[in-house]
Amino acid sequence: MAIPSSESSRQDNTLAVIRALRSQGPMARVDLGASNDISSATVTAITTELLGQALVSELPPGMHRDNGRGRPKTLIQLNPDAVFVVCVKLSINEVQIVVGDFVGQVRHSELHSLATLALTQEELCAFLVDKIEALSSQLRDTYSRFAGICLAVQGIVSPHNGTIIWSPALRFRNAPISSRLAAVFGCPVLLENDANCIARSLASQPEYAAYPHMVVIMLGYGIGMSVLIDGQPFIGANGSAAELGHSKYEPGGALCSCGRRGCIEAYVGDYALYREARTMLSLPAGDSAHPSEEQMQALTQLAMRGDPVARQIFGKAGRALGYGIANVMALFNPDLVLITGAGVRGYPAMRSEVEQAIDDALVEELIGLTRVATCPWDRDMTCLGGIAMTLHATDPATLSAPSSLLRLQD
Amino acid sequence: MAIPSSESSRQDNTLAVIRALRSQGPMARVDLGASNDISSATVTAITTELLGQALVSELPPGMHRDNGRGRPKTLIQLNPDAVFVVCVKLSINEVQIVVGDFVGQVRHSELHSLATLALTQEELCAFLVDKIEALSSQLRDTYSRFAGICLAVQGIVSPHNGTIIWSPALRFRNAPISSRLAAVFGCPVLLENDANCIARSLASQPEYAAYPHMVVIMLGYGIGMSVLIDGQPFIGANGSAAELGHSKYEPGGALCSCGRRGCIEAYVGDYALYREARTMLSLPAGDSAHPSEEQMQALTQLAMRGDPVARQIFGKAGRALGYGIANVMALFNPDLVLITGAGVRGYPAMRSEVEQAIDDALVEELIGLTRVATCPWDRDMTCLGGIAMTLHATDPATLSAPSSLLRLQD
DNA sequence: GACTTTATTTTAGCGCCTAAAGTAAAACGA
DNA sequence: TCGTTTTACTTTAGGCGCTAAAATAAAGTC
């Protein structure tokens, strides 16, 4: 697990330069120095090194407006093709594999249908090795180095030993997948919860830069959450923190998919909404325990158009969600609670109840300056976040070593 | 606020040496090197510097058993009298002022009765300045340097600008007390929530060293909590995180002291227990909205002896507390939940209900390896923790400067 | 008393940083 | 047009703080 610690000062500074270039785009040496508190002499040293490794290049002059006197700035940019990383998103019956370049852009994406719940650990491993190997032999021409893999999975994931402790997509438990991939490909493998990937992707957007303590709630079949503390996902002792979906709304309340009662998810999850609705409303046919996007759209439309029964269902969900958010506010005191996920489509129909519930639950002091906002849903955010996290964790020192070049032969 | 950041490497290492000596007692240079990953050459350099500043001294040989061959170790110890810090604990109608030495031991303690709720900000400040000034002129002979003040207060405290945002002990709000004291005494002033002080004090005990993610719940008139993430108190965006007492048990439930309904505190706080009990049991007279220690003892005794009504009251409280702990587990996934506070006296009467409620609320995966334990209550832990935090934050560089010497004359 | 073992100090040298001096490349202005 | 000014980048000289290794110190062992 080559996550760069603060070993040498030079390492830190090199990393800081690369990250600044990634998040802020091409920059001149002076500005790199200023924004990272490094003398420009040091920046020169670092950039010469990076130019030598072809990790960055100088932007040809004249490309950018440089109004003002004095010697014009020479902008440095990351070389997109210097490095590639792979992010694998593992969901129920679906595996998405995405390739990202050194600047964090998605360069390739493929979707595989796969009966994940029927797989053994070996079969999953073999599948992933196969697909990633195929990709990398293809990409070998374009990119110089293969810097890492991110496995974004639903469920509980242990950060320490890189095992999938539990996932709704898999039959088996405590799978040391990440070390097995690391052994095959000889590169670091990040194992991440999918919600944390999404949150990291959102947090890197400039509009959320002012919120270091951000909570992202993902509405969907279940309820996911990621808590960013100073921009870092909070995972707890064993990776099972931030389980908002199974925190409680009412003791002994509605039955949850986990088998317990009164979980927030049992009121707000897609299946919970549909469960309430199907008995009272005429809705598209289908597996009502696992409503499809179309089914949910239909239900949402009803509520949006003012159907009283549908409105009441969403209102009740909103109340449960609001109480859940109130607990999150009381316990985490975030700057911002951001609501997203496929289920945001129905949020307008719950909004007033959510807000009312928060006000009912908490005194002003505990709501404090916390804002609640929504954000449109985009399926690709998971992999974007996974790519960002993998690149963020990439140690420039290992990139220079030839050992990180592709070596799938062994 | 001179909290030492990781400026120079030497600073970091010096701090590490001092902290090791404080937490592990006298040590030889080799061992200081080994336990902090520093070469023993560097340790020599650091200790010579510290010896010069009289912050440490060499233990005379022969004091310690040194069975084995080779040159005997020379143990280095902190000089207790090199530094003193003051911790002020501000509670309703009571101010405790404690002096701690360089090793973290309490060397003096005084208790003042004071109608805190009647004070203006100026009066409180004047009171504190007066008492601390008196103390320090007294202590000037014994100690060399006055390194800092810790203000441990109940309520919400902002870490950023050092203001008391809200405290049940005070009438006024948003008080920039800490900067005012800092200006008068010319030393750093830490403003801390009292629960965090207690938690830090507990966490420093060796028996809890294996639990980096620890949650400490304090039962009493209200319900306090501190969440330690990697040993550091988690305070959230504005210092109001970890408010377990006002997280919800039942929407629309029992009336809480905060004015809202269904808060955990409204079931588990002393006042809530007594409120239930007084109508049904014969208990000592007194202000039943603010039960005294004697009143609570009497109630607890009844429950312990098996009185069915009292048992039921504690059982209901245990259920509420259990659900609260379940939410904490789902959201923070701690290694350990430690229950303490004056109210632990009644915990045995709730224990089985707490455990049952946690099992009812969460599936195994979310309970994970988290343990729940209790810990005897000691009033002095707050100040001990405050002293530890102040010392921990003390920058050795500022200690060497003469500016940190007492200078109350100006 | 020579030898072994362990602790501490001294020495030599390395890596990385910075300030300051030097160089480069523009715009400005007479 | 050409010096002047301004800003960017590079080179140089020197310092800080670390480490490995050598030197020294202070025991026990045989």
Side-chain angles (χ1 to χ4, degrees):
Chain A
M1 314 281 139
I3 283 147
S5 53
S6 66
E7 288 160 26
S8 88
S9 179
R10 171 54 65 90
Q11 193 115 328
D12 285 353
N13 287 335
T14 307
L15 202 55
V17 164
I18 290 175
R19 288 177 182 170
L21 290 174
R22 183 141 53 226
S23 64
Q24 299 171 58
M27 285 174 86
R29 286 172 241 258
V30 232
D31 301 323
L32 281 170
S35 78
N36 292 296
D37 263 316
I38 312 174
S39 77
S40 77
T42 304
V43 176
T44 294
I46 289 171
T47 50
T48 353
E49 172 81 19
L50 292 176
L51 282 165
Q53 297 170 223
L55 290 175
V56 304
S57 58
E58 288 187 348
L59 218 59
M63 300 287 292
H64 49 282
R65 274 279 44 78
D66 193 25
N67 41 5
R69 315 177 30 159
R71 176 175 175 174
K73 296 170 195 258
T74 325
L75 299 195
I76 308 279
Q77 67 182 340
L78 291 185
N79 175 4
D81 299 343
V83 162
F84 75 104
V85 297
V86 168
C87 178
V88 176
K89 178 180 158 194
L90 194 66
S91 323
I92 300 175
N93 294 332
E94 191 183 275
V95 178
Q96 186 180 7
I97 306 184
V98 166
V99 176
D101 63 20
F102 197 35
V103 301
Q105 222 104 52
V106 170
R107 297 283 284 263
H108 171 89
S109 173
E110 56 190 54
L111 205 57
H112 300 276
S113 285
L114 184 69
T116 53
L117 279 162
L119 294 177
T120 66
Q121 188 175 322
E122 279 67 32
E123 287 165 341
L124 175 64
C125 235
F127 177 84
L128 293 178
V129 166
D130 184 49
K131 296 299 175 193
I132 297 174
E133 203 155 322
L135 261 181
S136 53
S137 62
Q138 212 181 296
L139 294 163
R140 204 183 278 221
D141 304 330
T142 319
Y143 299 92
S144 323
R145 306 173 187 82
F146 183 17
I149 299 173
C150 176
L151 236 68
V153 307
Q154 282 179 47
I156 302 175
V157 137
S158 166
H160 306 303
N161 42 24
T163 60
I164 301 177
I165 295 182
W166 174 84
S167 167
L170 300 173
R171 209 179 48 193
F172 49 89
R173 298 184 172 208
N174 298 312
I177 297 281
S178 97
S179 55
R180 298 185 57 175
L181 289 180
V184 172
F185 292 102
C187 67
V189 177
L190 240 61
L191 187 59
E192 289 290 340
N193 176 275
D194 63 339
N196 287 334
C197 292
I198 293 165
R200 273 292 292 263
S201 167
L202 285 168
S204 69
Q205 295 176 208
E207 54 205 296
Y208 301 120
Y211 304 101
H213 295 284
M214 188 164 120
V215 165
V216 181
I217 296 176
M218 268 129 312
L219 306 179
Y221 178 82
I223 307 299
M225 180 165 80
S226 173
V227 175
L228 299 183
I229 296 179
D230 269 322
Q232 301 299 316
F234 173 66
I235 51 160
N238 300 293
S240 71
E243 277 290 347
L244 176 67
H246 303 290
S247 74
K248 300 300 134 183
Y249 169 56
E250 309 180 293
L255 184 63
C256 179
S257 67
C258 72
R260 299 298 196 255
R261 293 190 164 274
C263 302
I264 306 269
E265 181 176 304
Y267 299 85
V268 190
D270 283 352
Y271 73 85
L273 294 170
Y274 211 83
R275 173 172 66 185
E276 290 275 291
R278 60 186 282 266
T279 55
M280 297 186 281
L281 296 169
S282 74
L283 286 164
D287 179 1
S288 63
H290 293 88
S292 67
E293 180 60 24
E294 290 69 39
Q295 289 173 300
M296 289 310 297
Q297 294 264 8
L299 173 55
T300 308
Q301 285 304 317
L302 279 179
M304 300 291 217
R305 289 191 192 124
D307 177 286
V309 174
R311 281 215 65 90
Q312 212 205 311
I313 292 172
F314 277 84
K316 190 174 165 192
R319 211 158 166 76
L321 180 58
Y323 269 91
I325 293 176
N327 279 348
V328 167
M329 287 178 171
L331 296 175
F332 287 108
N333 179 220
D335 292 301
L336 174 69
V337 174
L338 202 54
I339 297 169
T340 185
V344 256
R345 47 167 140 61
Y347 188 74
M350 330 180 181
R351 179 177 193 138
S352 67
E353 283 84 358
V354 170
E355 288 169 356
Q356 186 60 53
I358 294 173
D359 283 339
D360 285 353
L362 297 184
V363 290
E364 258 177 50
E365 285 80 7
L366 292 182
I367 298 179
L369 305 171
T370 304
R371 290 190 40 220
V372 177
T374 61
C375 157
W377 174 235
D378 172 3
R379 302 182 83 240
D380 293 338
M381 269 195 300
T382 316
C383 287
L384 255 180
I387 289 168
M389 290 175 91
T390 313
L391 289 169
H392 191 86
T394 295
D395 181 347
T398 62
L399 290 181
S400 59
S403 63
S404 73
L405 295 176
L406 295 180
R407 43 158 199 193
L408 304 175
Q409 296 75 359
D410 28 312
Chain B
M1 313 294 144
I3 283 144
S5 54
S6 65
E7 288 159 28
S8 88
S9 179
R10 171 53 66 92
Q11 194 114 327
D12 285 353
N13 287 335
T14 307
L15 202 53
V17 164
I18 291 176
R19 287 177 182 169
L21 291 174
R22 183 142 53 225
S23 65
Q24 300 172 58
M27 287 173 84
R29 291 174 175 80
V30 234
D31 301 322
L32 281 170
S35 77
N36 292 296
D37 262 316
I38 312 173
S39 75
S40 78
T42 304
V43 176
T44 295
I46 290 171
T47 50
T48 351
E49 172 80 20
L50 291 176
L51 283 164
Q53 299 169 222
L55 291 174
V56 305
S57 57
E58 289 186 347
L59 219 60
M63 298 287 292
H64 49 283
R65 275 279 44 78
D66 192 26
N67 41 3
R69 313 173 38 156
R71 177 175 172 173
K73 297 172 195 259
T74 324
L75 300 194
I76 308 279
Q77 67 181 342
L78 292 185
N79 175 3
D81 298 344
V83 162
F84 75 103
V85 297
V86 168
C87 177
V88 176
K89 177 179 159 195
L90 194 65
S91 324
I92 300 175
N93 294 332
E94 192 183 275
V95 179
Q96 186 179 8
I97 305 184
V98 165
V99 176
D101 62 21
F102 197 37
V103 299
Q105 221 103 52
V106 171
R107 297 284 284 262
H108 171 88
S109 172
E110 56 190 53
L111 206 56
H112 300 277
S113 285
L114 183 67
T116 52
L117 279 162
L119 293 178
T120 65
Q121 190 176 321
E122 278 66 33
E123 287 166 343
L124 175 63
C125 233
F127 177 85
L128 293 178
V129 166
D130 183 50
K131 295 300 176 194
I132 297 173
E133 202 153 325
L135 262 181
S136 53
S137 63
Q138 214 180 295
L139 294 163
R140 204 183 277 220
D141 303 332
T142 319
Y143 299 93
S144 322
R145 306 171 187 84
F146 183 17
I149 300 172
C150 176
L151 234 69
V153 307
Q154 283 178 47
I156 303 174
V157 139
S158 166
H160 307 301
N161 43 25
T163 60
I164 302 177
I165 296 181
W166 174 84
S167 168
L170 300 173
R171 209 178 49 193
F172 50 88
R173 297 183 174 209
N174 298 310
I177 297 282
S178 95
S179 54
R180 299 185 55 175
L181 288 180
V184 172
F185 292 102
C187 67
V189 176
L190 241 62
L191 187 58
E192 290 289 343
N193 176 275
D194 63 339
N196 288 334
C197 292
I198 292 165
R200 275 290 295 261
S201 166
L202 285 167
S204 69
Q205 293 174 210
E207 55 204 298
Y208 301 119
Y211 305 102
H213 295 284
M214 187 165 122
V215 165
V216 182
I217 295 175
M218 270 132 307
L219 306 179
Y221 177 80
I223 308 298
M225 180 166 80
S226 173
V227 175
L228 299 183
I229 297 178
D230 268 321
Q232 300 299 315
F234 173 66
I235 52 161
N238 301 293
S240 70
E243 276 290 346
L244 176 66
H246 303 290
S247 74
K248 301 299 132 182
Y249 170 55
E250 310 178 291
L255 184 64
C256 179
S257 67
C258 73
R260 299 296 196 258
R261 292 191 164 273
C263 302
I264 305 268
E265 181 175 305
Y267 298 85
V268 191
D270 282 353
Y271 73 86
L273 294 169
Y274 210 83
R275 173 172 66 185
E276 291 276 291
R278 60 187 281 267
T279 56
M280 298 187 282
L281 296 169
S282 76
L283 287 164
D287 178 1
S288 64
H290 294 88
S292 66
E293 181 59 25
E294 290 69 41
Q295 288 173 299
M296 289 310 299
Q297 294 265 9
L299 173 53
T300 308
Q301 284 305 316
L302 278 179
M304 299 291 217
R305 287 193 195 124
D307 175 286
V309 175
R311 280 215 66 91
Q312 211 205 311
I313 292 171
F314 277 84
K316 190 173 164 192
R319 210 154 167 80
L321 180 58
Y323 269 91
I325 292 175
N327 279 346
V328 166
M329 286 178 173
L331 296 175
F332 288 108
N333 178 220
D335 291 301
L336 174 68
V337 174
L338 201 55
I339 297 168
T340 183
V344 258
R345 47 168 140 57
Y347 188 74
M350 332 182 180
R351 178 176 194 142
S352 66
E353 284 84 0
V354 169
E355 287 169 357
Q356 186 59 54
I358 293 173
D359 283 339
D360 286 351
L362 296 184
V363 291
E364 255 178 53
E365 284 82 6
L366 292 182
I367 298 179
L369 304 171
T370 304
R371 291 189 40 219
V372 177
T374 60
C375 155
W377 174 237
D378 172 2
R379 303 183 83 240
D380 293 336
M381 268 195 299
T382 316
C383 287
L384 255 179
I387 289 168
M389 291 176 92
T390 313
L391 289 169
H392 191 85
T394 295
D395 180 346
T398 63
L399 290 180
S400 58
S403 65
S404 74
L405 296 175
L406 295 180
R407 45 160 198 190
L408 305 174
Q409 298 76 357
D410 25 315

PDB file of all heavy atoms in Angstrom, chain B residues 5-21:
ATOM      1  N   SER B   5       2.638  23.420  14.643  1.00  0.00           N
ATOM      2  CA  SER B   5       2.382  22.656  13.425  1.00  0.00           C
ATOM      3  C   SER B   5       3.681  21.921  13.072  1.00  0.00           C
ATOM      4  O   SER B   5       4.665  21.990  13.800  1.00  0.00           O
ATOM      5  CB  SER B   5       1.980  23.603  12.316  1.00  0.00           C
ATOM      6  OG  SER B   5       2.959  24.607  12.181  1.00  0.00           O
ATOM      7  N   SER B   6       3.661  21.218  12.001  1.00  0.00           N
ATOM      8  CA  SER B   6       4.874  20.483  11.656  1.00  0.00           C
ATOM      9  C   SER B   6       5.800  21.391  10.866  1.00  0.00           C
ATOM     10  O   SER B   6       5.990  21.222   9.677  1.00  0.00           O
ATOM     11  CB  SER B   6       4.515  19.245  10.839  1.00  0.00           C
ATOM     12  OG  SER B   6       3.965  19.647   9.619  1.00  0.00           O
ATOM     13  N   GLU B   7       6.342  22.366  11.561  1.00  0.00           N
ATOM     14  CA  GLU B   7       7.221  23.319  10.887  1.00  0.00           C
ATOM     15  C   GLU B   7       8.542  22.647  10.552  1.00  0.00           C
ATOM     16  O   GLU B   7       8.660  21.956   9.565  1.00  0.00           O
ATOM     17  CB  GLU B   7       7.453  24.545  11.779  1.00  0.00           C
ATOM     18  CG  GLU B   7       6.211  25.430  11.879  1.00  0.00           C
ATOM     19  CD  GLU B   7       6.240  26.317  13.099  1.00  0.00           C
ATOM     20  OE1 GLU B   7       7.346  26.666  13.557  1.00  0.00           O
ATOM     21  OE2 GLU B   7       5.162  26.666  13.601  1.00  0.00           O
ATOM     22  N   SER B   8       9.481  22.822  11.442  1.00  0.00           N
ATOM     23  CA  SER B   8      10.762  22.191  11.157  1.00  0.00           C
ATOM     24  C   SER B   8      10.762  20.792  11.722  1.00  0.00           C
ATOM     25  O   SER B   8      10.011  20.453  12.627  1.00  0.00           O
ATOM     26  CB  SER B   8      11.893  23.001  11.774  1.00  0.00           C
ATOM     27  OG  SER B   8      12.103  22.583  13.089  1.00  0.00           O
ATOM     28  N   SER B   9      11.608  20.010  11.194  1.00  0.00           N
ATOM     29  CA  SER B   9      11.733  18.641  11.628  1.00  0.00           C
ATOM     30  C   SER B   9      12.246  18.585  13.067  1.00  0.00           C
ATOM     31  O   SER B   9      11.808  17.770  13.870  1.00  0.00           O
ATOM     32  CB  SER B   9      12.691  17.936  10.679  1.00  0.00           C
ATOM     33  OG  SER B   9      12.877  16.625  11.064  1.00  0.00           O
ATOM     34  N   ARG B  10      13.148  19.486  13.392  1.00  0.00           N
ATOM     35  CA  ARG B  10      13.706  19.499  14.741  1.00  0.00           C
ATOM     36  C   ARG B  10      12.634  19.764  15.784  1.00  0.00           C
ATOM     37  O   ARG B  10      12.575  19.140  16.833  1.00  0.00           O
ATOM     38  CB  ARG B  10      14.825  20.554  14.815  1.00  0.00           C
ATOM     39  CG  ARG B  10      15.354  20.834  16.210  1.00  0.00           C
ATOM     40  CD  ARG B  10      15.793  19.584  16.961  1.00  0.00           C
ATOM     41  NE  ARG B  10      16.932  18.900  16.413  1.00  0.00           N
ATOM     42  CZ  ARG B  10      18.190  19.102  16.748  1.00  0.00           C
ATOM     43  NH1 ARG B  10      18.488  20.021  17.626  1.00  0.00           N
ATOM     44  NH2 ARG B  10      19.152  18.409  16.218  1.00  0.00           N
ATOM     45  N   GLN B  11      11.769  20.691  15.478  1.00  0.00           N
ATOM     46  CA  GLN B  11      10.653  21.037  16.358  1.00  0.00           C
ATOM     47  C   GLN B  11       9.791  19.797  16.629  1.00  0.00           C
ATOM     48  O   GLN B  11       9.457  19.494  17.768  1.00  0.00           O
ATOM     49  CB  GLN B  11       9.785  22.066  15.635  1.00  0.00           C
ATOM     50  CG  GLN B  11       8.806  22.749  16.521  1.00  0.00           C
ATOM     51  CD  GLN B  11       9.154  24.202  16.641  1.00  0.00           C
ATOM     52  OE1 GLN B  11      10.341  24.558  16.615  1.00  0.00           O
ATOM     53  NE2 GLN B  11       8.167  25.042  16.765  1.00  0.00           N
ATOM     54  N   ASP B  12       9.445  19.130  15.559  1.00  0.00           N
ATOM     55  CA  ASP B  12       8.638  17.925  15.667  1.00  0.00           C
ATOM     56  C   ASP B  12       9.308  16.908  16.573  1.00  0.00           C
ATOM     57  O   ASP B  12       8.672  16.309  17.436  1.00  0.00           O
ATOM     58  CB  ASP B  12       8.478  17.262  14.293  1.00  0.00           C
ATOM     59  CG  ASP B  12       7.498  18.017  13.437  1.00  0.00           C
ATOM     60  OD1 ASP B  12       6.863  18.945  13.952  1.00  0.00           O
ATOM     61  OD2 ASP B  12       7.394  17.671  12.247  1.00  0.00           O
ATOM     62  N   ASN B  13      10.576  16.697  16.350  1.00  0.00           N
ATOM     63  CA  ASN B  13      11.272  15.665  17.105  1.00  0.00           C
ATOM     64  C   ASN B  13      11.407  16.042  18.566  1.00  0.00           C
ATOM     65  O   ASN B  13      11.291  15.190  19.449  1.00  0.00           O
ATOM     66  CB  ASN B  13      12.641  15.393  16.483  1.00  0.00           C
ATOM     67  CG  ASN B  13      12.508  14.643  15.178  1.00  0.00           C
ATOM     68  OD1 ASN B  13      11.526  13.941  14.959  1.00  0.00           O
ATOM     69  ND2 ASN B  13      13.473  14.805  14.301  1.00  0.00           N
ATOM     70  N   THR B  14      11.655  17.313  18.815  1.00  0.00           N
ATOM     71  CA  THR B  14      11.740  17.766  20.207  1.00  0.00           C
ATOM     72  C   THR B  14      10.405  17.533  20.908  1.00  0.00           C
ATOM     73  O   THR B  14      10.358  17.001  22.028  1.00  0.00           O
ATOM     74  CB  THR B  14      12.096  19.266  20.249  1.00  0.00           C
ATOM     75  OG1 THR B  14      13.264  19.482  19.471  1.00  0.00           O
ATOM     76  CG2 THR B  14      12.334  19.715  21.668  1.00  0.00           C
ATOM     77  N   LEU B  15       9.349  17.897  20.227  1.00  0.00           N
ATOM     78  CA  LEU B  15       8.019  17.699  20.783  1.00  0.00           C
ATOM     79  C   LEU B  15       7.771  16.211  21.046  1.00  0.00           C
ATOM     80  O   LEU B  15       7.249  15.828  22.096  1.00  0.00           O
ATOM     81  CB  LEU B  15       6.985  18.240  19.799  1.00  0.00           C
ATOM     82  CG  LEU B  15       5.628  18.619  20.344  1.00  0.00           C
ATOM     83  CD1 LEU B  15       5.776  19.578  21.509  1.00  0.00           C
ATOM     84  CD2 LEU B  15       4.795  19.249  19.245  1.00  0.00           C
ATOM     85  N   ALA B  16       8.168  15.383  20.113  1.00  0.00           N
ATOM     86  CA  ALA B  16       7.963  13.938  20.268  1.00  0.00           C
ATOM     87  C   ALA B  16       8.708  13.423  21.492  1.00  0.00           C
ATOM     88  O   ALA B  16       8.178  12.604  22.248  1.00  0.00           O
ATOM     89  CB  ALA B  16       8.425  13.207  19.014  1.00  0.00           C
ATOM     90  N   VAL B  17       9.914  13.912  21.701  1.00  0.00           N
ATOM     91  CA  VAL B  17      10.708  13.484  22.860  1.00  0.00           C
ATOM     92  C   VAL B  17      10.007  13.896  24.148  1.00  0.00           C
ATOM     93  O   VAL B  17       9.830  13.093  25.075  1.00  0.00           O
ATOM     94  CB  VAL B  17      12.130  14.081  22.781  1.00  0.00           C
ATOM     95  CG1 VAL B  17      12.831  13.982  24.122  1.00  0.00           C
ATOM     96  CG2 VAL B  17      12.930  13.383  21.693  1.00  0.00           C
ATOM     97  N   ILE B  18       9.572  15.136  24.200  1.00  0.00           N
ATOM     98  CA  ILE B  18       8.913  15.614  25.417  1.00  0.00           C
ATOM     99  C   ILE B  18       7.638  14.821  25.689  1.00  0.00           C
ATOM    100  O   ILE B  18       7.376  14.404  26.822  1.00  0.00           O
ATOM    101  CB  ILE B  18       8.589  17.126  25.288  1.00  0.00           C
ATOM    102  CG1 ILE B  18       9.892  17.918  25.317  1.00  0.00           C
ATOM    103  CG2 ILE B  18       7.665  17.582  26.403  1.00  0.00           C
ATOM    104  CD1 ILE B  18       9.718  19.402  25.104  1.00  0.00           C
ATOM    105  N   ARG B  19       6.885  14.578  24.646  1.00  0.00           N
ATOM    106  CA  ARG B  19       5.637  13.834  24.836  1.00  0.00           C
ATOM    107  C   ARG B  19       5.909  12.404  25.272  1.00  0.00           C
ATOM    108  O   ARG B  19       5.182  11.857  26.112  1.00  0.00           O
ATOM    109  CB  ARG B  19       4.810  13.846  23.548  1.00  0.00           C
ATOM    110  CG  ARG B  19       4.191  15.202  23.291  1.00  0.00           C
ATOM    111  CD  ARG B  19       3.430  15.216  21.980  1.00  0.00           C
ATOM    112  NE  ARG B  19       2.881  16.540  21.723  1.00  0.00           N
ATOM    113  CZ  ARG B  19       2.341  16.919  20.575  1.00  0.00           C
ATOM    114  NH1 ARG B  19       2.283  16.069  19.557  1.00  0.00           N
ATOM    115  NH2 ARG B  19       1.861  18.131  20.421  1.00  0.00           N
ATOM    116  N   ALA B  20       6.933  11.804  24.720  1.00  0.00           N
ATOM    117  CA  ALA B  20       7.271  10.438  25.117  1.00  0.00           C
ATOM    118  C   ALA B  20       7.652  10.414  26.589  1.00  0.00           C
ATOM    119  O   ALA B  20       7.230   9.531  27.345  1.00  0.00           O
ATOM    120  CB  ALA B  20       8.414   9.910  24.256  1.00  0.00           C
ATOM    121  N   LEU B  21       8.438  11.399  27.019  1.00  0.00           N
ATOM    122  CA  LEU B  21       8.841  11.440  28.422  1.00  0.00           C
ATOM    123  C   LEU B  21       7.631  11.660  29.324  1.00  0.00           C
ATOM    124  O   LEU B  21       7.547  11.112  30.424  1.00  0.00           O
ATOM    125  CB  LEU B  21       9.870  12.558  28.646  1.00  0.00           C
ATOM    126  CG  LEU B  21      11.242  12.306  28.015  1.00  0.00           C
ATOM    127  CD1 LEU B  21      12.123  13.537  28.162  1.00  0.00           C
ATOM    128  CD2 LEU B  21      11.909  11.098  28.658  1.00  0.00           C
TER     129      LEU B  21
END
